[in-house]
Amino acid sequence: MNAEMPVSALAEFGKLINIPTLAFDPFGYCCLLIDEITVNLEYDPSNGNLLVYAHLGLLPEPASTAFCEMLLEANFFCRDTNNATLGIDRASRAIVLYLSHPSTSLDGAALEAVISRFTNTAESWKRRIAAQPFQATPETCPPTAFADQLNATRI
């Protein structure tokens, strides 16, 4: 694993977007505001991947089954997420788009393509989420909807 790879890729990307001082902070984190999307970048030294994520909005209270199904269906084989994953943080009710990308294959141009594709996907999902009607209905996503899956055996 080359720990310098994401550092140099980020520096090259910074030059491409006219931010020549773009760099990770001492904790391996960088944040960019792109077209009203806050794109977070973190380097994960445990696997050498670059983590890219963005907050898209809040899960409505209560969230309809149809809304939750829309998010889950988009994740199915990354059908509508461009290889990223939609997730929900239960504590904050934040809807987050997340991508883990191997950093060994990144240079400035490749990072620009990854961030551009990710940002376009995040913008699309942010619009879709904002356009959803959030009326209270008897159908909700129960907080323990996936509790049974935690004890499942993976095959």
Side-chain angles (χ1 to χ4, degrees), residues 93-115:
R93 301 190 64 77
I95 302 168
V96 175
L97 184 68
Y98 165 84
L99 174 70
S100 180
H101 193 283
S103 65
T104 55
S105 63
L106 290 176
D107 60 14
L111 182 56
E112 181 179 35
V114 167
I115 291 173

Side-chain angles (χ1 to χ4, degrees), residues 41-144:
L41 306 171
E42 287 189 50
Y43 175 63
D44 184 355
S46 70
N47 60 18
N49 285 352
L50 180 67
L51 312 177
V52 184
Y53 57 95
H55 179 277
L56 303 178
L58 295 175
L59 187 67
E61 180 69 52
S64 71
T65 300
F67 181 84
C68 294
E69 285 176 348
M70 176 185 71
L71 298 177
L72 286 171
E73 187 175 324
N75 276 337
F76 186 65
F77 291 113
C78 299
R79 178 180 292 160
D80 199 15
T81 60
N82 274 322
N83 292 323
T85 302
L86 289 163
I88 298 169
D89 176 57
R90 186 183 297 180
S92 68
R93 301 190 64 77
I95 302 168
V96 175
L97 184 68
Y98 165 84
L99 174 70
S100 180
H101 193 283
S103 65
T104 55
S105 63
L106 290 176
D107 60 14
L111 182 56
E112 181 179 35
V114 167
I115 291 173
S116 177
R117 186 173 58 249
F118 179 86
T119 303
N120 289 337
T121 303
E123 287 175 331
S124 173
W125 271 103
K126 194 167 186 172
R127 283 190 304 272
R128 279 178 78 173
I129 290 166
Q132 294 300 308
F134 296 130
Q135 292 88 22
T137 67
E139 301 174 338
T140 62
C141 289
T144 58

Side-chain angles (χ1 to χ4, degrees), residues 21-44:
T21 58
L22 188 62
F24 290 108
D25 71 11
F27 303 102
Y29 175 79
C30 178
C31 182
L32 299 165
L33 182 61
I34 303 172
D35 298 331
E36 299 184 30
I37 299 289
T38 301
V39 178
N40 301 275
L41 306 171
E42 287 189 50
Y43 175 63
D44 184 355

Side-chain angles (χ1 to χ4, degrees), residues 2 4-24 32 103-113 115:
N2 182 353
E4 293 300 313
M5 178 57 86
V7 172
S8 62
L10 189 61
E12 290 174 30
F13 172 65
K15 290 175 186 171
L16 291 172
I17 61 170
N18 295 318
I19 306 175
T21 58
L22 188 62
F24 290 108
L32 299 165
S103 65
T104 55
S105 63
L106 290 176
D107 60 14
L111 182 56
E112 181 179 35
I115 291 173

